[in-house]
Structure formats: C-alpha cells, structure tokens
Amino acid sequence: MGTEIITIGTELLLGQIVDTNASWIAQRLAEAGIDLFYKTTVGDNAGRIEAALRQALERADVIITTGGLGPTEDDLTRDVVAAVLERPLRLDPAVLAHIERRFAHRKIPMPENNRKQAMVPEPAEMKPMLTEQVIPRIRETFGIQSRIVSRVLKTCGISESKLDHAIGDYFREMQNPTIGVLAHAGEIHVRLTCKGEDPATITRMLDDLEAKIRERLGPLIFGRDEEKLEALIGQLLRERKATLAVAESCTGGLLASRLTDISGSSDYLERGVVTYSNTAKEQILGVPAELLRESGAVSLPVVRAMAEGVRRMSGTTFGLATTGIAGPTGATPEKPVGLVCIALAWDGGDLAREYRFHGGRELIKYRAAQMALEMLRRHLLAVPISET
Amino acid sequence: MGTEIITIGTELLLGQIVDTNASWIAQRLAEAGIDLFYKTTVGDNAGRIEAALRQALERADVIITTGGLGPTEDDLTRDVVAAVLERPLRLDPAVLAHIERRFAHRKIPMPENNRKQAMVPEPAEMKPMLTEQVIPRIRETFGIQSRIVSRVLKTCGISESKLDHAIGDYFREMQNPTIGVLAHAGEIHVRLTCKGEDPATITRMLDDLEAKIRERLGPLIFGRDEEKLEALIGQLLRERKATLAVAESCTGGLLASRLTDISGSSDYLERGVVTYSNTAKEQILGVPAELLRESGAVSLPVVRAMAEGVRRMSGTTFGLATTGIAGPTGATPEKPVGLVCIALAWDGGDLAREYRFHGGRELIKYRAAQMALEMLRRHLLAVPISET
C-alpha cells in the first residue's frame, strides 16, 4: 500500500514557511512502517487542490492532507475534499459547541466564520490526530505489522575517519539494523535504524548493536538520542558533588549559557565570567600582565591562568576556560581565525589544549564551547583527551 | 505560465531531512514574479520519478527538479529525465575534466561512479544555478516583467494589539504593498510586500509605506530585514564611544553570548559576569548580603545593585543586569516562573523594570536577554521604556 501527503497553503509555495509539518508526518509514517510515495504541495486554489486530490486518489491508497482548515476565506480544503468525495459537509453541533466554549472562555465574541471550523477537527490538533487516530487506523486497515525504530549515539571530539576506522565494518556489513553516520556542529552522530515487527525484538536488536559499538567506542559516546552534552555534564558533576566556574574569552558567554540552559544548573555552576578585555582577565581572574604580554591573550599559559583564576576566586572543584580567535577579525599570521585554547583546572592540577576550528564566528564559538564541555566530561570519566 | 518543483530523495519521504531547498527555490521564484503552482516530492524510485515528471509536463510550463544528482547508485534523476524527454545523456568532457581536477586537488583518487556527475552540472551549485541561470531564462522566455519584493520592519517590547492599534488601518486598507504582522520570540515583525515591474518603483512604494509606518511607530522599530538587535546596539555604543559590562543571573551568559556574536564587540563589551549564586553576586558585584536577604535575589533592588556593581568594577559607561526565574523549578507563590528583573545603570542614574515572560526555560532566557538589549537601545535613543 502507498500513502500520499498533500500539504495545502499558498505560503508554502511562496517559500514563506518551511514545510516542517510534512516532514514530521513523514517521520511518523516511516516509524509506523507505512510507505510514503509522494508528497504534493498546492496553494489555496480550489482547482489545483482538486487536481492534486484526484491525482492522489489514482495512485495512493491513503491520502493525508494538512493545511487549509482554518476559518478564513482562503481555507478551502474541507469544501474541496467534500466535493471530490461527493460527501456533503454537515455542521457538527458538538464541535461547534466546543469552539463556542473556547471563545467564551477567552471572553471574545466568536466571529461567524469560525462556524466553518465546526465542520472538521481542529487544525492545531494535527500531531495527536496523526499519532493517535490516523496511523493506528492505517496500520489496522492495511494489516501493517512492521515498524522502524531509530536510535542515535552521539560522539564529540573524534573525527569521521577515526569513527570509520573504529566501526566501519559494522557500517558496511549490517543489513538490519543499518548504521548511518551524520556530522553536526561539534558532534558526530551514529544512527542505528532497525526495521521489524515486534517492538521488543527491535529494542533487543538495537541494544545488541549498541553494545557492540560501545565495546569499540566506549566512553567516546557521550549520549543517546535527545541527550545533550551540557545536561550529561550536569549529571556527572552532581554525582560527584563537584562544582564548576567558567571563564570565557572567545566563547563570550555561550559556554555559561549552554550550561544554564539546564534546569537546576545553579546546583553546580557557581559563576561565569566573560573576560573579553585583557584588563578583565587581569582584574577578575588574576592573569599576570606579563603573561598576557609575553604569550598573548590566546595562548596555553593564559588559558591555564584563566581556568585556575576562576576556580580559585569561586572556590569550585573545577575551573574551565576558553580563549581564541572567533573571527572574522583579530587574526595574525601566527594566530589564525579558529585557533582556540581550552583549559581545565582543579585542585593540584590542570590540562590545556590548542584546537583549530572551522566555520563562521558563531560556529567557532559553538565548537569551542562544545569542546570545553567535552574536555570536562572526559576528565570526569578519565578518558584521554586528544588534540583534534 | 506555471512552474512546478519536483524534489527527489527518499530521505525527504522518510522525514529525515526538512526540504529547505524547496522553500528557498519557492522564495526566489516568488520574488522573480514566477508563479509556482505545485511542489511534488518523490523518493529515489525511477518509476515514481517518471510519473511525477510526466504529470508535471502536463500541468506546468517549467519544471525545476532538485535532488538525485549525486554519483551513487540511487541518484536516478538524470537518467529518468533523459528517458522522459527522449534526449540521451552524453558525457561532457569539460565537466569531467573539472571533476577530475577537484579530486586531484584533494589528492584522492576519483571513484569511477563520479564520472556520472560529469553528465550534469554539480548539485552543490543549486543556489547560484537557480538565481544566475534558471530564473533569468524563465523570465525571458515567458516575458515576465513583475517581481515581488519584501521588507521587514522589526519591533521589540510592543504587543501585537498595540501594533494593530497603531498601524491597523494600513494593515487593512493597503492593497500594494500589503502588510503582514508576524510574531517571533521577543520580536514582532511588520512585513511589507510589494508587487510591481520596475525595481525603482517598487523600492519607492516600499519606502513610502515604510516612512508612513515609521511616522507612527518611530524608534519603536529597531531594525530592518536581517538586522539584529545586538548588532544595532553595538553601532549605537560605538557611535557614542560608550562601553558596556553585563551581569547575568537568569539569562546565564546568553546576553553576553549574543553581544559577542557580533564581530568587533570587544570594542565596547568590556566584560560579563554570570553570577548564578548569591555568593557570586556579593563577591564579584558587591551586592549587599542584607539586600539579597530582605528583597530576594529576584527583585528590583538587587538587579539595580547588580547593574551598578558590574559598571563600577569594570569602569564602563553602562552596566546591564538580569535576574529572574527561568524555571521550571525555583518559583514561589510571589515569584512565578517567567518573572524577570532587568536594570541599566550609568554614572549618576539607573532604571529597573520587572517583566513576566512566557515559554520554556530557553525561551524565557531569550526573551529576557532581548528585553535587556531593548532597554539599553531605548535608553540610548531616549525612547520611553514600558513594562510589558
């Protein structure tokens, strides 16, 4: 059996919005083992909506439409669908009462054209409608048993070629689950995709392959699926009752901002300082003026002094610091755009590394913050830190 | 005349990637006055690519395809297009030589299947191909004279209903240019869209309407099109030879990070501190312990002390500070999630306001940083600051 999605809306054909609904629906269908063969987009034009529907009726067993269901003049979907299927619309009193209640609740008079919405379920309900109603009905009607489940293992600070060297044989040999590798900003993801019928069997097959990959990559995998590096670091610090202070030059507050995106981060993040100027590095962090003069602000000695300085002033377990050239200005022949020094300091020790990141200013900031978090994570887990 | 876009790729039908190429092409077509009536997506399947092409040949004057042009087995577009049009493919020696040079340059042997790419222009070139070749040819072939030009005026810290009150009459009456209002996180955008033939006339019509809107909204409009609030503030500070230091609690570094996204921000941003803990607020910023005890960390007296503290310690013209409850934890009956206090301090004066923001943790952080930037902008331009 085959499915077709028809998305309706002139704004889609003008490129004013990106059709994220269609790809969301496509994902859910794929997971549910429902084949999608075509996706068609038309504007708010009755003739062309009709043409698209008639075309889809010829080549698909199931048609899912989205868009054109609101209360305004140009919302034509319900009328055209009714005409094509030769099933006249009727006003559903229960739906109308529900819409009237919603307006009453918001204390605004209901415009007459909102009556139109009583003829269909509400468009804002697209996602639950699809997952709770549409997909189960399609699976039942067509006796679909199979489903597709994906799992993502995330790594940071390892190159694609090293990853290929480590798990390339699985990558090439595995038929089910299959393995795909995707590069994101500052992360490389390994995606396992399993097709099967029984959810428990699928989970077991994914678990088996994940275990094999983890055997090779070990703690180089920092997380799974939606897990974020900043959240995992929070967990690790919390488990160890450790605290953190950050000193940022080139990342300019991004490192602190990512750490504070995590609710409860005040338990372990004591403070952050953005020491953009040399004066601030001296005054707040106690970086010696002669060190700045001799080695330059972007250097391993300075980043070490920053990490140790912020740790000492805040009395935390760890101090984490960045300094670098985010560009596009500020580079010299010896210190190009993308050069970033990162250091981690603790009571009685420290480590510092130099990196070269590519991309524009925001991407360099992001990659530097990511690598600083990864440096802390690896130290907490006693994993060696390379210089890539 | 009508155009149809066909995007080809199984990953689009699996929802693994969002079709941003198609909406980018749609935008460029709309700007060039070229009507787009259908957008179809098919997977890497010869039969369905052919069906989509034949269908499009029936209903469209121009077909633009994207995807399926790479060197691998499942890239079928060129073969199917050749078969449908009954025009056999030929190997272009110049293109082949170019591809061979690229591999030689990267010092990797060229795999045999990359010869396939010699038969078409390179896929990575989609954007320049479209704007430099495809669109001019379509306009010439079909004698299209009209074009659509949009302009966006950006506001911050004004509600949609106030905006409607101020310019609603234009919004309802104007036929060309038309006006649309779009709410973004922390910003409301007024989009002017003009259709016409002569670029100079279009620009004049947009200028006229923009002038009328600016007459009503004045400096409530902070910028146009791609202009960012953080960049405009940089300009304003630079013009005044003023400097800035920021002290952040609830925004957690985001305010500094947005300011440092702008190249050259080290000229005016002297430093930032993320004082998450009360200890840090006392130690670094000199906020009195009794003030924290009596008023609480999220209060107007404390945020004033933070702004003045960071200004004094760094010797800058301005100090800007935030403190609030970003949630989801940390709220009390008196201080709900979303309560944020923002203050600006300068030599001999300050101002502080309390806001209630909605949304999740990251959105509250973003809105608070946005409003802090807007407070500084309004102060620099002597525009009154409200409490919304």
Side-chain angles (χ1 to χ4, degrees):
Chain A
M1 62 80 61
T3 308
E4 175 155 356
I5 299 176
I6 301 179
T7 55
I8 296 159
T10 299
E11 69 281 10
L12 292 162
L13 290 184
L14 294 174
Q16 288 170 354
I17 57 171
V18 175
D19 197 355
T20 49
N21 271 353
S23 53
W24 188 88
I25 296 172
Q27 262 177 41
R28 299 294 87 72
L29 293 176
E31 288 164 5
I34 299 168
D35 283 325
L36 175 66
F37 288 151
Y38 295 95
K39 191 159 68 70
T40 304
T41 306
V42 281
D44 302 308
N45 172 291
R48 286 189 286 272
I49 297 173
E50 184 179 335
L53 276 169
R54 291 199 188 280
Q55 169 69 36
L57 283 169
E58 272 174 38
R59 63 190 180 189
D61 300 295
V62 172
I63 304 170
I64 297 172
T65 79
T66 167
L69 292 171
T72 60
E73 281 294 307
D74 58 1
D75 290 307
L76 304 165
T77 304
R78 97 204 77 219
D79 295 307
V80 178
V81 169
V84 168
L85 298 181
E86 293 173 22
R87 295 192 197 169
L89 289 172
R90 65 176 179 81
L91 188 74
D92 185 322
V95 176
L96 180 60
H98 176 71
I99 294 177
E100 282 171 343
R101 273 197 306 278
R102 277 180 43 160
F103 275 93
H105 180 75
R106 285 152 65 196
K107 296 196 174 62
I108 0 178
M110 186 183 89
E112 189 50 29
N113 59 8
N114 276 86
R115 284 176 65 85
K116 216 170 158 183
Q117 287 189 300
M119 305 213 179
V120 288
E122 289 165 54
E125 306 291 331
M126 190 278 280
K127 292 185 180 185
M129 271 172 61
L130 192 90
T131 50
E132 290 161 25
Q133 300 285 335
V134 176
I135 285 181
R137 283 200 214 174
I138 296 176
R139 283 176 64 87
E140 206 192 314
T141 308
F142 293 90
I144 296 168
Q145 302 294 328
S146 69
R147 61 186 75 234
I148 295 174
V149 180
S150 283
R151 184 179 294 180
V152 174
L153 306 178
K154 297 173 164 183
T155 72
C156 173
I158 171 170
S159 68
E160 253 181 289
S161 60
K162 273 191 192 164
L163 205 63
D164 188 70
H165 191 74
I167 58 164
D169 51 336
Y170 292 143
F171 182 70
R172 279 178 283 274
E173 285 159 23
M174 292 297 295
Q175 299 295 325
N176 189 33
T178 56
I179 305 184
V181 171
L182 276 166
H184 290 255
E187 294 181 6
I188 296 180
H189 294 179
V190 180
R191 176 189 283 265
L192 321 183
T193 304
C194 188
K195 191 164 184 167
E197 299 200 346
D198 173 43
T201 310
I202 293 176
T203 303
R204 193 179 40 72
M205 286 166 78
L206 288 172
D207 286 348
D208 285 355
L209 182 55
E210 178 176 341
K212 282 185 191 166
I213 292 174
R214 281 188 185 271
E215 216 168 85
R216 302 255 182 103
L217 295 177
L220 290 173
I221 295 167
F222 72 79
R224 228 167 79 164
D225 296 329
E226 300 307 310
E227 289 175 345
K228 287 179 172 182
L229 193 47
E230 46 270 46
L232 291 164
I233 279 166
Q235 276 177 27
L236 291 173
L237 290 170
R238 213 187 281 271
E239 282 164 19
R240 285 157 180 74
K241 297 196 185 355
T243 53
L244 176 65
V246 299
E248 304 180 62
S249 187
C250 69
T251 51
L254 180 62
L255 182 54
S257 183
R258 286 183 59 185
L259 285 162
T260 60
D261 279 346
I262 306 307
S263 176
S265 48
S266 52
D267 292 350
Y268 46 84
L269 184 72
E270 209 275 335
R271 72 184 70 174
V273 294
V274 180
T275 49
Y276 233 50
S277 69
N278 280 352
T279 317
K281 289 184 185 76
E282 288 172 38
Q283 276 184 13
I284 308 188
L285 300 174
V287 177
E290 57 274 25
L291 206 61
L292 286 161
R293 212 167 35 239
E294 282 161 24
S295 307
V298 180
S299 64
L300 291 175
V302 165
V303 80
R304 275 179 209 272
M306 289 171 67
E308 177 53 25
V310 78
R311 191 190 76 82
R312 203 179 40 234
M313 74 181 275
S314 52
T316 51
T317 322
F318 295 105
L320 186 59
T322 64
T323 180
I325 320 271
T329 56
T332 65
E334 299 79 41
K335 298 189 174 175
V337 169
L339 178 74
V340 175
C341 297
I342 303 176
L344 178 70
W346 59 92
D347 190 10
D350 67 9
L351 61 90
R353 291 281 185 280
E354 198 181 288
Y355 298 90
R356 298 280 175 97
F357 298 113
H358 296 281
R361 184 176 176 88
E362 290 181 35
L363 202 52
I364 288 172
K365 281 179 65 177
Y366 187 85
R367 291 191 158 133
Q370 181 79 1
M371 191 53 72
L373 294 173
E374 177 68 3
M375 183 184 272
L376 175 56
R377 189 188 74 87
R378 292 202 186 183
H379 178 75
L380 290 168
L381 295 174
V383 182
I385 292 147
S386 66
E387 281 188 48
T388 352
Chain B
M1 61 83 59
T3 308
E4 174 155 355
I5 299 175
I6 301 179
T7 54
I8 296 159
T10 299
E11 67 283 9
L12 293 161
L13 291 185
L14 294 175
Q16 288 170 353
I17 57 172
V18 176
D19 197 355
T20 50
N21 272 352
S23 53
W24 187 88
I25 297 172
Q27 262 177 40
R28 298 294 87 73
L29 294 176
E31 289 165 6
I34 299 168
D35 283 325
L36 175 65
F37 288 149
Y38 295 94
K39 190 159 65 71
T40 304
T41 306
V42 280
D44 301 309
N45 172 290
R48 288 190 285 273
I49 297 174
E50 182 179 337
L53 276 169
R54 292 200 188 279
Q55 168 69 35
L57 283 169
E58 271 174 39
R59 64 190 180 189
D61 300 296
V62 173
I63 304 170
I64 297 172
T65 79
T66 168
L69 292 171
T72 58
E73 282 294 306
D74 58 0
D75 290 306
L76 304 166
T77 305
R78 98 204 75 217
D79 295 307
V80 178
V81 169
V84 169
L85 298 181
E86 294 173 21
R87 294 192 197 170
L89 289 173
R90 65 175 179 83
L91 188 75
D92 186 321
V95 175
L96 180 60
H98 176 72
I99 294 177
E100 282 171 342
R101 271 198 306 280
R102 276 181 42 162
F103 274 93
H105 180 74
R106 284 154 66 197
K107 298 194 174 60
I108 0 178
M110 186 182 90
E112 188 51 27
N113 59 7
N114 276 86
R115 283 176 66 85
K116 216 171 158 182
Q117 285 188 304
M119 305 213 179
V120 290
E122 288 166 54
E125 306 291 331
M126 190 277 278
K127 292 184 178 184
M129 272 172 61
L130 192 92
T131 51
E132 290 160 25
Q133 300 285 337
V134 177
I135 285 181
R137 283 199 214 174
I138 296 176
R139 284 176 63 87
E140 206 192 314
T141 308
F142 293 90
I144 296 167
Q145 302 294 328
S146 68
R147 59 185 77 235
I148 295 174
V149 181
S150 283
R151 185 178 293 179
V152 173
L153 306 178
K154 296 174 165 183
T155 71
C156 172
I158 171 171
S159 68
E160 252 181 290
S161 60
K162 272 191 190 162
L163 206 64
D164 189 71
H165 191 74
I167 58 164
D169 51 336
Y170 292 141
F171 181 71
R172 280 176 283 274
E173 286 159 22
M174 292 297 295
Q175 299 295 325
N176 189 32
T178 55
I179 305 184
V181 171
L182 275 167
H184 290 253
E187 295 181 5
I188 296 179
H189 295 179
V190 180
R191 176 189 282 265
L192 320 182
T193 304
C194 188
K195 190 165 184 166
E197 299 200 346
D198 174 43
T201 311
I202 293 176
T203 303
R204 193 179 42 69
M205 287 166 78
L206 287 173
D207 285 348
D208 285 355
L209 182 55
E210 178 176 340
K212 282 184 190 166
I213 292 173
R214 281 188 184 272
E215 216 167 85
R216 303 253 182 102
L217 296 179
L220 288 174
I221 295 166
F222 73 79
R224 227 168 78 164
D225 296 328
E226 300 307 312
E227 289 176 344
K228 285 180 172 182
L229 191 48
E230 46 271 45
L232 292 163
I233 279 166
Q235 276 176 28
L236 292 172
L237 289 171
R238 212 186 281 271
E239 282 164 19
R240 285 156 180 75
K241 298 195 187 351
T243 52
L244 176 65
V246 299
E248 304 179 62
S249 187
C250 69
T251 50
L254 181 62
L255 182 54
S257 183
R258 286 183 59 185
L259 285 161
T260 59
D261 279 345
I262 308 305
S263 177
S265 48
S266 52
D267 293 349
Y268 46 84
L269 183 71
E270 211 274 336
R271 73 184 69 174
V273 294
V274 180
T275 49
Y276 234 49
S277 68
N278 280 354
T279 316
K281 290 183 184 77
E282 289 172 39
Q283 276 185 12
I284 309 189
L285 300 172
V287 178
E290 58 272 27
L291 207 61
L292 285 161
R293 214 168 31 242
E294 282 163 24
S295 307
V298 180
S299 63
L300 291 175
V302 165
V303 80
R304 275 180 209 272
M306 288 171 67
E308 177 52 24
V310 79
R311 191 191 75 82
R312 202 178 41 234
M313 75 180 274
S314 51
T316 51
T317 324
F318 295 104
L320 187 59
T322 64
T323 180
I325 320 272
T329 57
T332 65
E334 300 78 43
K335 299 190 175 174
V337 169
L339 178 74
V340 175
C341 297
I342 302 176
L344 179 70
W346 58 92
D347 189 12
D350 67 10
L351 61 89
R353 292 281 185 281
E354 196 180 290
Y355 299 89
R356 299 280 175 98
F357 298 113
H358 296 280
R361 184 176 177 88
E362 290 181 35
L363 203 51
I364 289 173
K365 280 179 67 177
Y366 187 86
R367 290 189 159 135
Q370 181 79 1
M371 190 52 74
L373 294 173
E374 177 67 4
M375 182 183 273
L376 174 56
R377 190 188 73 89
R378 292 201 187 183
H379 178 75
L380 290 169
L381 296 173
V383 182
I385 293 148
S386 66
E387 283 188 48
T388 351

